[in-house]
Amino acid sequence: MKIGEAAQRLEALGNPTRLKIYRMLVRAGDPGLPVGKLQSRLSIPGSTLSHHLKTLIIVGLVSQERDATTLICRANYPVMRSLVEFLVAECCTEADCNSLRQQTDTAA
């Protein structure tokens, strides 16, 4: 993943409403959730939900599929995994991880 793609995806998740939507879809698993169910769980207007879903779809974190009259939204797990892998890919490459873990343990 390129840094620009990662930045766009992280920016999309930086909005509290979009992060809530995304976490709901991740919890829903492969079946996803209908837009109506998302809207009722979040208690937000349909236009607001559509705006946030559009942002998540544009950056590839969410996909949407029509099933008759129902729109089903799903988290794009491969994209999510690649974003997490991007974030941790260079963990401790310039430091001793053991000393970092000890600092974290003593701070907690």
Side-chain angles (χ1 to χ4, degrees):
M1 177 177 301
K2 295 179 180 173
I3 197 156
E5 291 171 320
Q8 288 177 330
R9 289 172 178 152
L10 292 169
E11 182 180 0
L13 293 173
N15 176 281
T17 302
R18 284 193 289 270
L19 187 55
K20 286 178 190 175
I21 293 166
Y22 192 68
R23 292 184 72 198
M24 279 186 189
L25 293 174
V26 168
R27 283 192 302 270
D30 289 332
L33 286 173
V35 169
K37 194 171 276 191
L38 276 171
Q39 183 181 357
S40 66
R41 287 185 182 180
L42 291 165
S43 299
I44 59 175
S47 60
T48 302
L49 178 58
S50 293
H51 165 75
H52 289 301
L53 283 171
K54 180 181 175 185
T55 300
L56 293 168
I57 290 166
I58 287 170
V59 298
L61 288 167
V62 169
S63 65
Q64 205 172 57
E65 176 185 321
R66 182 167 294 281
D67 181 13
T69 59
T70 305
L71 278 175
I72 307 293
C73 298
R74 292 180 180 87
N76 186 335
Y77 293 102
V79 170
M80 178 184 72
R81 286 185 192 100
S82 68
L83 181 59
V84 171
E85 288 170 7
F86 173 83
L87 291 172
V88 298
E90 297 183 26
C91 178
C92 303
T93 58
E94 296 184 12
D96 175 16
C97 281
N98 289 328
S99 66
L100 288 175
R101 266 190 239 109
Q102 289 171 353
Q103 290 172 7
T104 304
D105 292 341
T106 56

